[in-house]
Amino acid sequence: MAQLIDGKAIAARIRAEVQADVERLKASRGLVPGLAVVRVGEDPASKIYVTGKKKAAEEVGFHSWEHALGADITQDELLARVRQLNADPAVHGILVQLPLPKHIDAERIIAAVSPEKDVDGFHPVNAGRLSLGQPGLRPCTPFGAMRLLAEVSCAPAGKRAVVVGRSNIVGKPMALMLLQADATVTICHRKSDLPREVAQADILVVAVGVPELIQGEWIKPGAVVIDVGMNRKADGKLVGDVAFQAAAQRASAITPVPGGVGPMTIAMLMRNTFIAASGGV
Amino acid sequence: MAQLIDGKAIAARIRAEVQADVERLKASRGLVPGLAVVRVGEDPASKIYVTGKKKAAEEVGFHSWEHALGADITQDELLARVRQLNADPAVHGILVQLPLPKHIDAERIIAAVSPEKDVDGFHPVNAGRLSLGQPGLRPCTPFGAMRLLAEVSCAPAGKRAVVVGRSNIVGKPMALMLLQADATVTICHRKSDLPREVAQADILVVAVGVPELIQGEWIKPGAVVIDVGMNRKADGKLVGDVAFQAAAQRASAITPVPGGVGPMTIAMLMRNTFIAASGGV
């Protein structure tokens, strides 16, 4: 039976580390990191996410501000708000909660955030810095997944890592981070022969949003499995992208859903905001 | 015996296409694309490369300028020159020939080039746009390799592509382009089990700079092989990173060295400069 990777406990530890770092930063430089979260419209899920992020920011000792804007805001008005936050020296991190209303070009808004305050790591400059192996702010979820690997002493160097899913916020940055950590990396998607690819994975990361797509029997014995998926089944139960019970029979370590990768995303957002504030990238 | 992929002939065709496009652009908008090449110091190889690029630019009908600067130029002076070219409306493409002298931070210089004029595709913004699947200027060599695949009717979708080498100018952008074309992509390097990985490649791209590293016997029968390497052996002979004779027995198509990928790089530089001038990204 695989070791459970307790993302909830690890995330709590990271948040405590950030809190201690914030106290040192206050003492040494009189500086308090500030996180501004911009939310547009009344999407209920976005409200919950933003509340969680704001609460976490306050717990680690950041200043935090929520900018709740009406769904009818124009793109130009939103751009103006982003520029105002770019110019505000008390704001070190800016997060624009996605999705945005359809009349707003999300790519344009993301590109307007200063790369040095882009704590989501979604700006093209930060995506480029990651691809080029340069320091920069990294997307929170794959950044957290890398930390989970480290926590179970899984060193990617020389291992075969397989990433299923090629999104801009998880799959592609995850593949680039694993590559930078010297894994041999395969990126898969809907056109891939998944059983064949998964069977070769010493490290498997799945981020596709399809409940239990990855069958336990495909997993290579001893693999470390990071399941980024979070899907609600018809019976209300939360499941990942990996069939957990069967996978746990073969993996050496595996993240549960919930309580695996999920809590890491906010913890790494706190870490990113601290990095942005302290100039530590 | 594999089909030879005649990069020299294909590159000549692309240059002729660009030339025709330039004539149309002149006729329709009175616009002549301009390419500025900046060379620092007296590196003999750089001189040859720059001369070749300038000649190609003139043949397709661009304006072109060579800025030959002394090896003792300061970083600030070079930055000032780049900014001057950024501001010059007659200059649509700027290429800073690498390597630069050691006292100059090449990353800093590349990042100073306007992303819209970065015809090498090396700027973090362009690397980010590629990673995010957004339009942008692409690095010339992998851009050319993708064109070679198209020329032999090799559609990457659903195929297994293996990229050996993970440089910023070939390996990583190549992997991202193949991924965007719906291949399942594996990126390999010195810590990879190359025989195992190469044996699974329907499309194999090698860019490591090690003469004949890839043995012909490793190649999957029917594979398409793109050899980016260009190495001079002790006897003066030019060879690629793939043992050509043996590989050609198994591959369905393969690039020769020289005359494969090499000529494509300058051709795609011409294409990129045209794209930058015409606003066609």
Side-chain angles (χ1 to χ4, degrees):
Chain A
M1 190 67 186
Q3 174 189 358
L4 268 190
I5 306 176
D6 186 349
K8 203 171 160 187
I10 296 164
R13 183 145 34 84
I14 292 168
R15 286 156 68 160
E17 287 167 11
V18 173
Q19 188 180 13
D21 288 343
V22 169
E23 278 171 23
R24 271 193 294 275
L25 193 67
K26 272 189 213 177
S28 65
R29 291 166 52 191
L31 185 62
V32 178
L35 174 65
V37 183
V38 178
R39 181 170 64 75
V40 180
E42 300 299 323
D43 182 59
S46 289
K47 275 191 191 176
I48 294 169
Y49 295 142
V50 166
T51 302
K53 290 168 184 176
K54 201 161 170 290
K55 183 160 165 277
E58 282 157 12
E59 280 173 10
V60 299
F62 295 168
H63 289 314
S64 83
W65 305 270
E66 180 179 349
H67 294 252
L69 307 172
D72 58 347
I73 191 171
T74 67
Q75 179 163 302
D76 283 346
E77 287 166 342
L78 183 54
L79 283 170
R81 182 67 66 110
V82 167
R83 290 197 195 103
Q84 178 196 323
L85 295 170
N86 284 343
D88 185 341
V91 172
H92 304 96
I94 301 170
L95 184 153
V96 181
Q97 182 67 43
L98 302 178
L100 292 170
K102 287 198 188 84
H103 67 281
I104 291 174
D105 179 351
E107 262 182 24
R108 186 99 194 268
I109 303 297
I110 290 168
V113 173
S114 161
E116 316 312 323
K117 298 189 177 188
D118 166 43
V119 287
D120 260 339
F122 293 168
H123 192 286
V125 163
N126 282 316
R129 287 173 178 161
L130 170 57
S131 179
L132 298 170
Q134 297 174 4
L137 291 164
R138 306 302 194 217
C140 300
T141 301
F143 190 19
M146 291 299 289
R147 175 73 183 252
L148 291 181
L149 292 177
E151 290 282 340
V152 294
S153 302
C154 174
K159 295 206 173 72
R160 284 193 101 266
V162 174
V163 178
V164 184
R166 54 175 163 173
S167 69
N168 288 339
I169 62 177
V170 186
K172 279 185 280 189
M174 186 82 226
L176 289 163
M177 288 181 201
L178 286 163
L179 180 65
Q180 205 174 337
D182 289 341
T184 299
V185 182
T186 299
I187 318 175
C188 304
H189 44 79
R190 67 188 71 248
K191 302 218 170 168
S192 304
D193 178 351
L194 289 180
R196 169 186 176 166
E197 303 300 340
V198 167
Q200 298 187 68
D202 302 311
I203 297 169
L204 177 67
V205 181
V206 189
V208 290
V210 179
E212 300 174 322
L213 173 71
I214 306 298
Q215 296 181 25
E217 296 67 32
W218 301 350
I219 308 266
K220 180 176 174 178
V224 174
V225 178
I226 307 286
D227 187 351
V228 183
M230 172 85 88
N231 314 285
R232 197 171 290 279
K233 293 217 292 189
D235 62 5
K237 202 183 152 206
L238 276 176
V239 298
D241 293 344
V242 177
F244 179 84
Q245 290 303 338
Q249 300 298 322
R250 297 173 69 98
S252 65
I254 186 168
T255 55
V257 176
V261 176
M264 295 298 288
T265 300
I266 288 189
M268 301 323 276
L269 176 66
M270 299 304 114
R271 175 51 72 196
N272 268 351
T273 304
F274 180 83
I275 291 170
S278 60
V281 166
Chain B
M1 190 66 187
Q3 174 190 357
L4 268 190
I5 307 176
D6 186 350
K8 203 172 161 185
I10 295 164
R13 184 145 35 82
I14 292 168
R15 285 155 68 158
E17 288 167 10
V18 173
Q19 187 179 15
D21 288 343
V22 169
E23 278 172 22
R24 270 193 293 274
L25 193 67
K26 273 188 212 177
S28 66
R29 292 165 54 189
L31 185 62
V32 179
L35 174 65
V37 183
V38 178
R39 182 171 64 76
V40 180
E42 300 299 323
D43 181 60
S46 289
K47 274 192 193 176
I48 293 169
Y49 294 141
V50 165
T51 302
K53 290 169 184 177
K54 202 162 169 290
K55 183 159 165 278
E58 282 156 13
E59 280 172 11
V60 298
F62 294 168
H63 290 314
S64 81
W65 304 271
E66 180 178 350
H67 295 253
L69 307 173
D72 58 348
I73 191 171
T74 67
Q75 179 162 300
D76 283 346
E77 286 166 342
L78 183 54
L79 283 170
R81 182 67 65 111
V82 167
R83 291 199 194 100
Q84 178 196 323
L85 295 170
N86 284 342
D88 185 341
V91 173
H92 304 97
I94 302 170
L95 185 154
V96 181
Q97 183 67 44
L98 302 177
L100 292 170
K102 286 198 189 82
H103 67 281
I104 290 174
D105 178 352
E107 262 182 25
R108 186 101 191 267
I109 303 297
I110 290 168
V113 173
S114 162
E116 316 313 322
K117 298 189 177 187
D118 165 43
V119 287
D120 261 339
F122 293 168
H123 191 287
V125 163
N126 282 317
R129 287 173 179 161
L130 169 57
S131 178
L132 298 170
Q134 297 174 5
L137 291 164
R138 305 304 193 216
C140 299
T141 301
F143 190 17
M146 291 299 288
R147 175 74 183 250
L148 291 180
L149 292 176
E151 290 282 340
V152 293
S153 302
C154 173
K159 296 205 173 74
R160 286 193 102 266
V162 175
V163 178
V164 183
R166 53 176 164 174
S167 70
N168 288 339
I169 62 178
V170 186
K172 278 185 280 188
M174 186 82 225
L176 288 164
M177 287 181 202
L178 287 162
L179 180 65
Q180 205 173 336
D182 288 342
T184 298
V185 182
T186 299
I187 318 175
C188 304
H189 44 79
R190 67 187 72 245
K191 301 219 169 166
S192 304
D193 178 350
L194 289 181
R196 169 186 176 166
E197 303 301 338
V198 167
Q200 298 187 68
D202 302 310
I203 297 170
L204 177 68
V205 181
V206 189
V208 289
V210 179
E212 300 174 323
L213 173 71
I214 306 297
Q215 297 180 25
E217 295 67 32
W218 301 350
I219 308 265
K220 180 176 174 178
V224 175
V225 177
I226 307 286
D227 187 351
V228 183
M230 173 85 88
N231 314 286
R232 197 171 291 280
K233 293 217 293 189
D235 62 5
K237 202 182 151 209
L238 276 177
V239 298
D241 293 344
V242 178
F244 180 84
Q245 290 302 337
Q249 300 298 321
R250 297 172 69 97
S252 66
I254 187 169
T255 54
V257 175
V261 176
M264 295 297 288
T265 300
I266 287 188
M268 301 322 277
L269 176 66
M270 300 301 115
R271 176 50 73 196
N272 268 352
T273 304
F274 180 83
I275 291 170
S278 61
V281 166

